[in-house]
Amino acid sequence: MKKLQTDTFFSKVSFLSSSVNDIVAVGPESFYATNDYYFTDFIMRFFEMFFGLKWTNVVYYSPGAVRQVATGFHNANGIAMSNDQRYIYIVDITGHTINIFEKHADWSLTPVKVVQLETLIDNLSVDPLTGDIWTAAHPNFFKLFAYNTEDLPGSEVIRIQNIHSDNPIVTTVYANNGSVLQASSCAAVYDNKLLVGTAFHKALYCQL
Ligand SMILES: *[C@@H]1O[C@H](CO)[C@@H](O)[C@H](O)[C@H]1NC(C)=O
Ligand SMILES: *[C@@H]1O[C@H](CO)[C@@H](O)[C@H](O)[C@H]1NC(C)=O
């Protein structure tokens, strides 16, 4: 019986982890994870993108428990938690949005608001002092996948202030055409310094 329960648990974990992209820890042994595709098969993923299906999700994991807590994203990607630990921020990269959810005591999530952005933002980080959201974006998704040394994928760093207010302030703090930094995927600040990471290129360290 114990064995059966363990097998059921792991088959559920594998079913709910079709394509884990990012996680945010919410306890010593628990976390939320985003899946950026619904399908695991390459051809099916092509159709998923082509038809713009909004089937990807966010899953909550803890020892012995796993369940879907949010769905309806084109490609759920970066995920982070607000400094007061009340909200979870979820990127839908091809949907061009950051989705704010309220986190409840039973770990369920309810939608609060959606912030629309222009570029394709990837991972998120939250400034530990101000609560501002820092993220790196891909100005052009196609250039990321069809890598061409003559036409490099660029980089962008975006800061979002007051995301919970009616008028969040979105600032492009850094932008480059690929000559310095290609395919930026995460940005984090600490002590007036900015660190920008990339999907396959180098990292950039800046003084703010
Ligand atoms: C950022 O996102 C990319 C792709 O979406 C992922 O492969 C990578 O592990 C992430 N990096 C961090 C630091 O979260
Ligand atoms: C990219 O930016 C650099 C520096 O700003 C510039 O010298 C270069 O001509 C640009 N390259 C392209 C392809 O636009």
Side-chain angles (χ1 to χ4, degrees), residues 11-48:
S11 65
K12 215 171 153 192
V13 168
S14 103
F15 174 72
L16 286 171
S17 313
S18 56
S19 181
V20 171
N21 181 285
D22 195 10
I23 68 166
V24 61
V26 290
E29 292 185 281
S30 55
F31 58 92
Y32 292 106
T34 55
N35 281 297
D36 55 9
Y37 289 94
Y38 176 83
F39 293 107
T40 46
D41 178 78
F42 181 76
I43 302 291
M44 292 307 287
R45 283 184 175 187
F46 172 78
F47 284 111
E48 184 177 351

PDB file of all heavy atoms in Angstrom, residues 11-48:
ATOM      1  N   SER A  11       4.115   9.418 -10.136  1.00  0.00           N
ATOM      2  CA  SER A  11       3.528   9.544 -11.473  1.00  0.00           C
ATOM      3  C   SER A  11       2.787  10.883 -11.577  1.00  0.00           C
ATOM      4  O   SER A  11       2.773  11.512 -12.619  1.00  0.00           O
ATOM      5  CB  SER A  11       2.632   8.356 -11.815  1.00  0.00           C
ATOM      6  OG  SER A  11       1.528   8.348 -10.966  1.00  0.00           O
ATOM      7  N   LYS A  12       2.230  11.338 -10.464  1.00  0.00           N
ATOM      8  CA  LYS A  12       1.570  12.642 -10.453  1.00  0.00           C
ATOM      9  C   LYS A  12       2.609  13.762 -10.617  1.00  0.00           C
ATOM     10  O   LYS A  12       2.404  14.708 -11.367  1.00  0.00           O
ATOM     11  CB  LYS A  12       0.827  12.813  -9.117  1.00  0.00           C
ATOM     12  CG  LYS A  12      -0.457  13.585  -9.238  1.00  0.00           C
ATOM     13  CD  LYS A  12      -1.223  13.526  -7.948  1.00  0.00           C
ATOM     14  CE  LYS A  12      -2.090  14.769  -7.821  1.00  0.00           C
ATOM     15  NZ  LYS A  12      -2.652  14.926  -6.495  1.00  0.00           N
ATOM     16  N   VAL A  13       3.752  13.612  -9.920  1.00  0.00           N
ATOM     17  CA  VAL A  13       4.827  14.598 -10.053  1.00  0.00           C
ATOM     18  C   VAL A  13       5.259  14.665 -11.507  1.00  0.00           C
ATOM     19  O   VAL A  13       5.376  15.749 -12.084  1.00  0.00           O
ATOM     20  CB  VAL A  13       6.032  14.252  -9.146  1.00  0.00           C
ATOM     21  CG1 VAL A  13       7.233  15.107  -9.506  1.00  0.00           C
ATOM     22  CG2 VAL A  13       5.678  14.436  -7.684  1.00  0.00           C
ATOM     23  N   SER A  14       5.460  13.511 -12.122  1.00  0.00           N
ATOM     24  CA  SER A  14       5.965  13.548 -13.491  1.00  0.00           C
ATOM     25  C   SER A  14       4.896  14.078 -14.452  1.00  0.00           C
ATOM     26  O   SER A  14       5.204  14.842 -15.357  1.00  0.00           O
ATOM     27  CB  SER A  14       6.544  12.191 -13.890  1.00  0.00           C
ATOM     28  OG  SER A  14       5.679  11.498 -14.695  1.00  0.00           O
ATOM     29  N   PHE A  15       3.624  13.771 -14.200  1.00  0.00           N
ATOM     30  CA  PHE A  15       2.557  14.308 -15.044  1.00  0.00           C
ATOM     31  C   PHE A  15       2.486  15.829 -14.935  1.00  0.00           C
ATOM     32  O   PHE A  15       2.278  16.528 -15.916  1.00  0.00           O
ATOM     33  CB  PHE A  15       1.202  13.685 -14.666  1.00  0.00           C
ATOM     34  CG  PHE A  15       0.046  14.289 -15.403  1.00  0.00           C
ATOM     35  CD1 PHE A  15      -0.140  14.016 -16.757  1.00  0.00           C
ATOM     36  CD2 PHE A  15      -0.832  15.150 -14.769  1.00  0.00           C
ATOM     37  CE1 PHE A  15      -1.193  14.594 -17.456  1.00  0.00           C
ATOM     38  CE2 PHE A  15      -1.886  15.735 -15.457  1.00  0.00           C
ATOM     39  CZ  PHE A  15      -2.066  15.451 -16.802  1.00  0.00           C
ATOM     40  N   LEU A  16       2.689  16.340 -13.722  1.00  0.00           N
ATOM     41  CA  LEU A  16       2.564  17.784 -13.499  1.00  0.00           C
ATOM     42  C   LEU A  16       3.861  18.544 -13.784  1.00  0.00           C
ATOM     43  O   LEU A  16       3.920  19.749 -13.625  1.00  0.00           O
ATOM     44  CB  LEU A  16       2.094  18.059 -12.067  1.00  0.00           C
ATOM     45  CG  LEU A  16       0.615  17.761 -11.791  1.00  0.00           C
ATOM     46  CD1 LEU A  16       0.310  17.859 -10.308  1.00  0.00           C
ATOM     47  CD2 LEU A  16      -0.305  18.683 -12.572  1.00  0.00           C
ATOM     48  N   SER A  17       4.920  17.849 -14.191  1.00  0.00           N
ATOM     49  CA  SER A  17       6.196  18.506 -14.473  1.00  0.00           C
ATOM     50  C   SER A  17       6.579  18.311 -15.935  1.00  0.00           C
ATOM     51  O   SER A  17       7.657  17.826 -16.242  1.00  0.00           O
ATOM     52  CB  SER A  17       7.291  17.935 -13.570  1.00  0.00           C
ATOM     53  OG  SER A  17       6.853  17.866 -12.242  1.00  0.00           O
ATOM     54  N   SER A  18       5.698  18.718 -16.828  1.00  0.00           N
ATOM     55  CA  SER A  18       5.941  18.480 -18.251  1.00  0.00           C
ATOM     56  C   SER A  18       7.181  19.215 -18.737  1.00  0.00           C
ATOM     57  O   SER A  18       7.922  18.706 -19.559  1.00  0.00           O
ATOM     58  CB  SER A  18       4.725  18.897 -19.066  1.00  0.00           C
ATOM     59  OG  SER A  18       4.398  20.247 -18.796  1.00  0.00           O
ATOM     60  N   SER A  19       7.443  20.409 -18.192  1.00  0.00           N
ATOM     61  CA  SER A  19       8.575  21.203 -18.668  1.00  0.00           C
ATOM     62  C   SER A  19       8.872  22.314 -17.662  1.00  0.00           C
ATOM     63  O   SER A  19       8.571  23.471 -17.900  1.00  0.00           O
ATOM     64  CB  SER A  19       8.213  21.790 -20.033  1.00  0.00           C
ATOM     65  OG  SER A  19       9.272  22.543 -20.541  1.00  0.00           O
ATOM     66  N   VAL A  20       9.463  21.934 -16.545  1.00  0.00           N
ATOM     67  CA  VAL A  20       9.697  22.914 -15.479  1.00  0.00           C
ATOM     68  C   VAL A  20      10.712  23.953 -15.943  1.00  0.00           C
ATOM     69  O   VAL A  20      11.765  23.620 -16.466  1.00  0.00           O
ATOM     70  CB  VAL A  20      10.159  22.232 -14.176  1.00  0.00           C
ATOM     71  CG1 VAL A  20      10.607  23.264 -13.150  1.00  0.00           C
ATOM     72  CG2 VAL A  20       9.038  21.373 -13.605  1.00  0.00           C
ATOM     73  N   ASN A  21      10.356  25.228 -15.785  1.00  0.00           N
ATOM     74  CA  ASN A  21      11.241  26.305 -16.213  1.00  0.00           C
ATOM     75  C   ASN A  21      11.902  26.991 -15.025  1.00  0.00           C
ATOM     76  O   ASN A  21      13.093  27.226 -15.011  1.00  0.00           O
ATOM     77  CB  ASN A  21      10.453  27.333 -17.033  1.00  0.00           C
ATOM     78  CG  ASN A  21      11.320  28.469 -17.529  1.00  0.00           C
ATOM     79  OD1 ASN A  21      11.707  29.353 -16.772  1.00  0.00           O
ATOM     80  ND2 ASN A  21      11.669  28.435 -18.809  1.00  0.00           N
ATOM     81  N   ASP A  22      11.119  27.331 -14.001  1.00  0.00           N
ATOM     82  CA  ASP A  22      11.670  28.091 -12.876  1.00  0.00           C
ATOM     83  C   ASP A  22      10.899  27.703 -11.618  1.00  0.00           C
ATOM     84  O   ASP A  22       9.758  27.222 -11.703  1.00  0.00           O
ATOM     85  CB  ASP A  22      11.510  29.595 -13.166  1.00  0.00           C
ATOM     86  CG  ASP A  22      12.356  30.481 -12.248  1.00  0.00           C
ATOM     87  OD1 ASP A  22      13.209  29.947 -11.504  1.00  0.00           O
ATOM     88  OD2 ASP A  22      12.158  31.701 -12.274  1.00  0.00           O
ATOM     89  N   ILE A  23      11.532  27.916 -10.474  1.00  0.00           N
ATOM     90  CA  ILE A  23      10.861  27.626  -9.200  1.00  0.00           C
ATOM     91  C   ILE A  23      11.065  28.790  -8.234  1.00  0.00           C
ATOM     92  O   ILE A  23      12.003  29.576  -8.379  1.00  0.00           O
ATOM     93  CB  ILE A  23      11.381  26.327  -8.531  1.00  0.00           C
ATOM     94  CG1 ILE A  23      12.820  26.486  -8.056  1.00  0.00           C
ATOM     95  CG2 ILE A  23      11.251  25.121  -9.450  1.00  0.00           C
ATOM     96  CD1 ILE A  23      13.267  25.392  -7.094  1.00  0.00           C
ATOM     97  N   VAL A  24      10.174  28.878  -7.247  1.00  0.00           N
ATOM     98  CA  VAL A  24      10.397  29.799  -6.129  1.00  0.00           C
ATOM     99  C   VAL A  24      10.134  29.005  -4.849  1.00  0.00           C
ATOM    100  O   VAL A  24       9.085  28.375  -4.701  1.00  0.00           O
ATOM    101  CB  VAL A  24       9.530  31.081  -6.237  1.00  0.00           C
ATOM    102  CG1 VAL A  24       8.035  30.804  -6.217  1.00  0.00           C
ATOM    103  CG2 VAL A  24       9.873  32.051  -5.110  1.00  0.00           C
ATOM    104  N   ALA A  25      11.121  29.024  -3.946  1.00  0.00           N
ATOM    105  CA  ALA A  25      10.981  28.286  -2.689  1.00  0.00           C
ATOM    106  C   ALA A  25      10.041  29.038  -1.768  1.00  0.00           C
ATOM    107  O   ALA A  25      10.104  30.262  -1.664  1.00  0.00           O
ATOM    108  CB  ALA A  25      12.340  28.117  -2.035  1.00  0.00           C
ATOM    109  N   VAL A  26       9.135  28.305  -1.108  1.00  0.00           N
ATOM    110  CA  VAL A  26       8.234  28.936  -0.140  1.00  0.00           C
ATOM    111  C   VAL A  26       8.368  28.286   1.237  1.00  0.00           C
ATOM    112  O   VAL A  26       7.646  28.625   2.159  1.00  0.00           O
ATOM    113  CB  VAL A  26       6.758  28.924  -0.623  1.00  0.00           C
ATOM    114  CG1 VAL A  26       6.585  29.872  -1.797  1.00  0.00           C
ATOM    115  CG2 VAL A  26       6.299  27.522  -1.010  1.00  0.00           C
ATOM    116  N   GLY A  27       9.307  27.351   1.378  1.00  0.00           N
ATOM    117  CA  GLY A  27       9.576  26.691   2.645  1.00  0.00           C
ATOM    118  C   GLY A  27      10.789  25.816   2.452  1.00  0.00           C
ATOM    119  O   GLY A  27      11.304  25.712   1.339  1.00  0.00           O
ATOM    120  N   PRO A  28      11.303  25.195   3.543  1.00  0.00           N
ATOM    121  CA  PRO A  28      12.520  24.378   3.429  1.00  0.00           C
ATOM    122  C   PRO A  28      12.378  23.237   2.424  1.00  0.00           C
ATOM    123  O   PRO A  28      13.350  22.835   1.794  1.00  0.00           O
ATOM    124  CB  PRO A  28      12.731  23.824   4.841  1.00  0.00           C
ATOM    125  CG  PRO A  28      11.773  24.515   5.718  1.00  0.00           C
ATOM    126  CD  PRO A  28      10.743  25.213   4.890  1.00  0.00           C
ATOM    127  N   GLU A  29      11.150  22.715   2.263  1.00  0.00           N
ATOM    128  CA  GLU A  29      10.959  21.586   1.348  1.00  0.00           C
ATOM    129  C   GLU A  29       9.798  21.804   0.388  1.00  0.00           C
ATOM    130  O   GLU A  29       9.250  20.848  -0.139  1.00  0.00           O
ATOM    131  CB  GLU A  29      10.708  20.304   2.155  1.00  0.00           C
ATOM    132  CG  GLU A  29      11.904  19.841   2.937  1.00  0.00           C
ATOM    133  CD  GLU A  29      11.621  18.501   3.610  1.00  0.00           C
ATOM    134  OE1 GLU A  29      10.948  18.503   4.660  1.00  0.00           O
ATOM    135  OE2 GLU A  29      12.070  17.480   3.074  1.00  0.00           O
ATOM    136  N   SER A  30       9.382  23.045   0.208  1.00  0.00           N
ATOM    137  CA  SER A  30       8.238  23.269  -0.677  1.00  0.00           C
ATOM    138  C   SER A  30       8.502  24.434  -1.614  1.00  0.00           C
ATOM    139  O   SER A  30       9.241  25.366  -1.281  1.00  0.00           O
ATOM    140  CB  SER A  30       6.972  23.512   0.143  1.00  0.00           C
ATOM    141  OG  SER A  30       7.185  24.573   1.035  1.00  0.00           O
ATOM    142  N   PHE A  31       7.902  24.352  -2.789  1.00  0.00           N
ATOM    143  CA  PHE A  31       8.118  25.397  -3.793  1.00  0.00           C
ATOM    144  C   PHE A  31       6.998  25.390  -4.823  1.00  0.00           C
ATOM    145  O   PHE A  31       6.258  24.408  -4.947  1.00  0.00           O
ATOM    146  CB  PHE A  31       9.472  25.195  -4.496  1.00  0.00           C
ATOM    147  CG  PHE A  31       9.649  23.869  -5.182  1.00  0.00           C
ATOM    148  CD1 PHE A  31       9.324  23.711  -6.522  1.00  0.00           C
ATOM    149  CD2 PHE A  31      10.139  22.766  -4.487  1.00  0.00           C
ATOM    150  CE1 PHE A  31       9.487  22.480  -7.164  1.00  0.00           C
ATOM    151  CE2 PHE A  31      10.307  21.533  -5.117  1.00  0.00           C
ATOM    152  CZ  PHE A  31       9.978  21.391  -6.456  1.00  0.00           C
ATOM    153  N   TYR A  32       6.892  26.516  -5.527  1.00  0.00           N
ATOM    154  CA  TYR A  32       6.044  26.583  -6.720  1.00  0.00           C
ATOM    155  C   TYR A  32       6.958  26.465  -7.926  1.00  0.00           C
ATOM    156  O   TYR A  32       8.074  26.984  -7.915  1.00  0.00           O
ATOM    157  CB  TYR A  32       5.324  27.922  -6.816  1.00  0.00           C
ATOM    158  CG  TYR A  32       4.279  28.177  -5.765  1.00  0.00           C
ATOM    159  CD1 TYR A  32       4.520  29.073  -4.730  1.00  0.00           C
ATOM    160  CD2 TYR A  32       3.024  27.563  -5.819  1.00  0.00           C
ATOM    161  CE1 TYR A  32       3.553  29.337  -3.769  1.00  0.00           C
ATOM    162  CE2 TYR A  32       2.052  27.826  -4.859  1.00  0.00           C
ATOM    163  CZ  TYR A  32       2.330  28.713  -3.838  1.00  0.00           C
ATOM    164  OH  TYR A  32       1.369  28.976  -2.891  1.00  0.00           O
ATOM    165  N   ALA A  33       6.467  25.808  -8.978  1.00  0.00           N
ATOM    166  CA  ALA A  33       7.245  25.686 -10.208  1.00  0.00           C
ATOM    167  C   ALA A  33       6.374  26.060 -11.399  1.00  0.00           C
ATOM    168  O   ALA A  33       5.169  25.789 -11.410  1.00  0.00           O
ATOM    169  CB  ALA A  33       7.737  24.251 -10.376  1.00  0.00           C
ATOM    170  N   THR A  34       7.001  26.691 -12.398  1.00  0.00           N
ATOM    171  CA  THR A  34       6.277  26.978 -13.646  1.00  0.00           C
ATOM    172  C   THR A  34       6.624  25.913 -14.673  1.00  0.00           C
ATOM    173  O   THR A  34       7.759  25.435 -14.722  1.00  0.00           O
ATOM    174  CB  THR A  34       6.681  28.351 -14.225  1.00  0.00           C
ATOM    175  OG1 THR A  34       8.110  28.380 -14.393  1.00  0.00           O
ATOM    176  CG2 THR A  34       6.253  29.490 -13.332  1.00  0.00           C
ATOM    177  N   ASN A  35       5.664  25.580 -15.521  1.00  0.00           N
ATOM    178  CA  ASN A  35       5.920  24.748 -16.699  1.00  0.00           C
ATOM    179  C   ASN A  35       5.776  25.639 -17.920  1.00  0.00           C
ATOM    180  O   ASN A  35       4.773  26.348 -18.052  1.00  0.00           O
ATOM    181  CB  ASN A  35       4.899  23.609 -16.801  1.00  0.00           C
ATOM    182  CG  ASN A  35       5.237  22.474 -15.854  1.00  0.00           C
ATOM    183  OD1 ASN A  35       6.286  21.843 -15.983  1.00  0.00           O
ATOM    184  ND2 ASN A  35       4.368  22.230 -14.898  1.00  0.00           N
ATOM    185  N   ASP A  36       6.776  25.625 -18.808  1.00  0.00           N
ATOM    186  CA  ASP A  36       6.684  26.515 -19.971  1.00  0.00           C
ATOM    187  C   ASP A  36       6.065  25.858 -21.208  1.00  0.00           C
ATOM    188  O   ASP A  36       5.803  26.534 -22.197  1.00  0.00           O
ATOM    189  CB  ASP A  36       8.029  27.183 -20.280  1.00  0.00           C
ATOM    190  CG  ASP A  36       9.166  26.193 -20.463  1.00  0.00           C
ATOM    191  OD1 ASP A  36       8.911  24.976 -20.517  1.00  0.00           O
ATOM    192  OD2 ASP A  36      10.320  26.650 -20.554  1.00  0.00           O
ATOM    193  N   TYR A  37       5.855  24.545 -21.159  1.00  0.00           N
ATOM    194  CA  TYR A  37       5.104  23.861 -22.216  1.00  0.00           C
ATOM    195  C   TYR A  37       4.153  22.863 -21.571  1.00  0.00           C
ATOM    196  O   TYR A  37       4.438  22.340 -20.494  1.00  0.00           O
ATOM    197  CB  TYR A  37       6.030  23.077 -23.167  1.00  0.00           C
ATOM    198  CG  TYR A  37       6.860  23.958 -24.060  1.00  0.00           C
ATOM    199  CD1 TYR A  37       8.156  24.328 -23.686  1.00  0.00           C
ATOM    200  CD2 TYR A  37       6.361  24.425 -25.269  1.00  0.00           C
ATOM    201  CE1 TYR A  37       8.923  25.152 -24.491  1.00  0.00           C
ATOM    202  CE2 TYR A  37       7.118  25.249 -26.091  1.00  0.00           C
ATOM    203  CZ  TYR A  37       8.400  25.602 -25.689  1.00  0.00           C
ATOM    204  OH  TYR A  37       9.155  26.415 -26.494  1.00  0.00           O
ATOM    205  N   TYR A  38       3.053  22.586 -22.258  1.00  0.00           N
ATOM    206  CA  TYR A  38       2.125  21.562 -21.792  1.00  0.00           C
ATOM    207  C   TYR A  38       2.592  20.197 -22.299  1.00  0.00           C
ATOM    208  O   TYR A  38       2.601  19.222 -21.581  1.00  0.00           O
ATOM    209  CB  TYR A  38       0.716  21.872 -22.323  1.00  0.00           C
ATOM    210  CG  TYR A  38      -0.320  20.837 -21.992  1.00  0.00           C
ATOM    211  CD1 TYR A  38      -0.951  20.852 -20.748  1.00  0.00           C
ATOM    212  CD2 TYR A  38      -0.672  19.844 -22.909  1.00  0.00           C
ATOM    213  CE1 TYR A  38      -1.907  19.899 -20.432  1.00  0.00           C
ATOM    214  CE2 TYR A  38      -1.623  18.896 -22.593  1.00  0.00           C
ATOM    215  CZ  TYR A  38      -2.237  18.922 -21.361  1.00  0.00           C
ATOM    216  OH  TYR A  38      -3.176  17.975 -21.051  1.00  0.00           O
ATOM    217  N   PHE A  39       3.007  20.179 -23.550  1.00  0.00           N
ATOM    218  CA  PHE A  39       3.432  18.915 -24.161  1.00  0.00           C
ATOM    219  C   PHE A  39       4.917  18.670 -23.936  1.00  0.00           C
ATOM    220  O   PHE A  39       5.688  19.613 -23.731  1.00  0.00           O
ATOM    221  CB  PHE A  39       3.142  18.937 -25.669  1.00  0.00           C
ATOM    222  CG  PHE A  39       1.677  18.945 -25.990  1.00  0.00           C
ATOM    223  CD1 PHE A  39       1.068  20.095 -26.462  1.00  0.00           C
ATOM    224  CD2 PHE A  39       0.901  17.805 -25.807  1.00  0.00           C
ATOM    225  CE1 PHE A  39      -0.302  20.113 -26.752  1.00  0.00           C
ATOM    226  CE2 PHE A  39      -0.464  17.811 -26.090  1.00  0.00           C
ATOM    227  CZ  PHE A  39      -1.059  18.975 -26.564  1.00  0.00           C
ATOM    228  N   THR A  40       5.339  17.429 -23.989  1.00  0.00           N
ATOM    229  CA  THR A  40       6.761  17.109 -23.866  1.00  0.00           C
ATOM    230  C   THR A  40       7.355  16.806 -25.242  1.00  0.00           C
ATOM    231  O   THR A  40       8.550  16.959 -25.447  1.00  0.00           O
ATOM    232  CB  THR A  40       6.974  15.891 -22.944  1.00  0.00           C
ATOM    233  OG1 THR A  40       6.047  14.872 -23.317  1.00  0.00           O
ATOM    234  CG2 THR A  40       6.742  16.262 -21.485  1.00  0.00           C
ATOM    235  N   ASP A  41       6.509  16.419 -26.179  1.00  0.00           N
ATOM    236  CA  ASP A  41       6.961  16.052 -27.512  1.00  0.00           C
ATOM    237  C   ASP A  41       7.261  17.308 -28.350  1.00  0.00           C
ATOM    238  O   ASP A  41       6.502  18.281 -28.328  1.00  0.00           O
ATOM    239  CB  ASP A  41       5.831  15.241 -28.163  1.00  0.00           C
ATOM    240  CG  ASP A  41       6.159  14.833 -29.570  1.00  0.00           C
ATOM    241  OD1 ASP A  41       6.924  13.869 -29.716  1.00  0.00           O
ATOM    242  OD2 ASP A  41       5.689  15.507 -30.507  1.00  0.00           O
ATOM    243  N   PHE A  42       8.365  17.292 -29.075  1.00  0.00           N
ATOM    244  CA  PHE A  42       8.829  18.461 -29.832  1.00  0.00           C
ATOM    245  C   PHE A  42       7.791  18.947 -30.855  1.00  0.00           C
ATOM    246  O   PHE A  42       7.513  20.138 -30.950  1.00  0.00           O
ATOM    247  CB  PHE A  42      10.154  18.114 -30.536  1.00  0.00           C
ATOM    248  CG  PHE A  42      10.719  19.254 -31.325  1.00  0.00           C
ATOM    249  CD1 PHE A  42      11.351  20.323 -30.680  1.00  0.00           C
ATOM    250  CD2 PHE A  42      10.606  19.269 -32.708  1.00  0.00           C
ATOM    251  CE1 PHE A  42      11.859  21.389 -31.414  1.00  0.00           C
ATOM    252  CE2 PHE A  42      11.111  20.335 -33.448  1.00  0.00           C
ATOM    253  CZ  PHE A  42      11.733  21.386 -32.797  1.00  0.00           C
ATOM    254  N   ILE A  43       7.228  18.002 -31.617  1.00  0.00           N
ATOM    255  CA  ILE A  43       6.243  18.364 -32.649  1.00  0.00           C
ATOM    256  C   ILE A  43       4.991  18.970 -32.003  1.00  0.00           C
ATOM    257  O   ILE A  43       4.465  19.985 -32.462  1.00  0.00           O
ATOM    258  CB  ILE A  43       5.828  17.113 -33.490  1.00  0.00           C
ATOM    259  CG1 ILE A  43       7.061  16.479 -34.154  1.00  0.00           C
ATOM    260  CG2 ILE A  43       4.766  17.470 -34.527  1.00  0.00           C
ATOM    261  CD1 ILE A  43       7.687  17.303 -35.261  1.00  0.00           C
ATOM    262  N   MET A  44       4.554  18.318 -30.921  1.00  0.00           N
ATOM    263  CA  MET A  44       3.371  18.829 -30.228  1.00  0.00           C
ATOM    264  C   MET A  44       3.634  20.218 -29.650  1.00  0.00           C
ATOM    265  O   MET A  44       2.751  21.063 -29.629  1.00  0.00           O
ATOM    266  CB  MET A  44       2.929  17.861 -29.124  1.00  0.00           C
ATOM    267  CG  MET A  44       2.392  16.544 -29.643  1.00  0.00           C
ATOM    268  SD  MET A  44       1.060  16.761 -30.857  1.00  0.00           S
ATOM    269  CE  MET A  44      -0.262  17.288 -29.774  1.00  0.00           C
ATOM    270  N   ARG A  45       4.867  20.459 -29.211  1.00  0.00           N
ATOM    271  CA  ARG A  45       5.221  21.792 -28.693  1.00  0.00           C
ATOM    272  C   ARG A  45       5.144  22.838 -29.793  1.00  0.00           C
ATOM    273  O   ARG A  45       4.764  23.979 -29.553  1.00  0.00           O
ATOM    274  CB  ARG A  45       6.636  21.785 -28.100  1.00  0.00           C
ATOM    275  CG  ARG A  45       6.671  21.145 -26.750  1.00  0.00           C
ATOM    276  CD  ARG A  45       8.046  21.239 -26.140  1.00  0.00           C
ATOM    277  NE  ARG A  45       7.990  20.702 -24.797  1.00  0.00           N
ATOM    278  CZ  ARG A  45       8.989  20.746 -23.923  1.00  0.00           C
ATOM    279  NH1 ARG A  45      10.145  21.290 -24.274  1.00  0.00           N
ATOM    280  NH2 ARG A  45       8.860  20.243 -22.728  1.00  0.00           N
ATOM    281  N   PHE A  46       5.523  22.420 -30.981  1.00  0.00           N
ATOM    282  CA  PHE A  46       5.420  23.335 -32.118  1.00  0.00           C
ATOM    283  C   PHE A  46       3.951  23.745 -32.312  1.00  0.00           C
ATOM    284  O   PHE A  46       3.641  24.930 -32.445  1.00  0.00           O
ATOM    285  CB  PHE A  46       5.979  22.676 -33.394  1.00  0.00           C
ATOM    286  CG  PHE A  46       5.729  23.494 -34.620  1.00  0.00           C
ATOM    287  CD1 PHE A  46       6.527  24.610 -34.895  1.00  0.00           C
ATOM    288  CD2 PHE A  46       4.673  23.200 -35.463  1.00  0.00           C
ATOM    289  CE1 PHE A  46       6.264  25.398 -36.011  1.00  0.00           C
ATOM    290  CE2 PHE A  46       4.409  23.982 -36.578  1.00  0.00           C
ATOM    291  CZ  PHE A  46       5.214  25.083 -36.853  1.00  0.00           C
ATOM    292  N   PHE A  47       3.050  22.766 -32.278  1.00  0.00           N
ATOM    293  CA  PHE A  47       1.623  23.071 -32.445  1.00  0.00           C
ATOM    294  C   PHE A  47       1.100  23.916 -31.275  1.00  0.00           C
ATOM    295  O   PHE A  47       0.286  24.814 -31.460  1.00  0.00           O
ATOM    296  CB  PHE A  47       0.798  21.788 -32.598  1.00  0.00           C
ATOM    297  CG  PHE A  47       0.947  21.183 -33.964  1.00  0.00           C
ATOM    298  CD1 PHE A  47       1.622  19.990 -34.140  1.00  0.00           C
ATOM    299  CD2 PHE A  47       0.435  21.837 -35.077  1.00  0.00           C
ATOM    300  CE1 PHE A  47       1.791  19.452 -35.408  1.00  0.00           C
ATOM    301  CE2 PHE A  47       0.594  21.306 -36.356  1.00  0.00           C
ATOM    302  CZ  PHE A  47       1.274  20.107 -36.520  1.00  0.00           C
ATOM    303  N   GLU A  48       1.610  23.614 -30.100  1.00  0.00           N
ATOM    304  CA  GLU A  48       1.201  24.368 -28.906  1.00  0.00           C
ATOM    305  C   GLU A  48       1.521  25.860 -29.089  1.00  0.00           C
ATOM    306  O   GLU A  48       0.697  26.727 -28.786  1.00  0.00           O
ATOM    307  CB  GLU A  48       1.944  23.801 -27.685  1.00  0.00           C
ATOM    308  CG  GLU A  48       1.543  24.438 -26.386  1.00  0.00           C
ATOM    309  CD  GLU A  48       2.237  23.801 -25.165  1.00  0.00           C
ATOM    310  OE1 GLU A  48       2.899  22.751 -25.305  1.00  0.00           O
ATOM    311  OE2 GLU A  48       2.100  24.380 -24.076  1.00  0.00           O
TER     312      GLU A  48
END
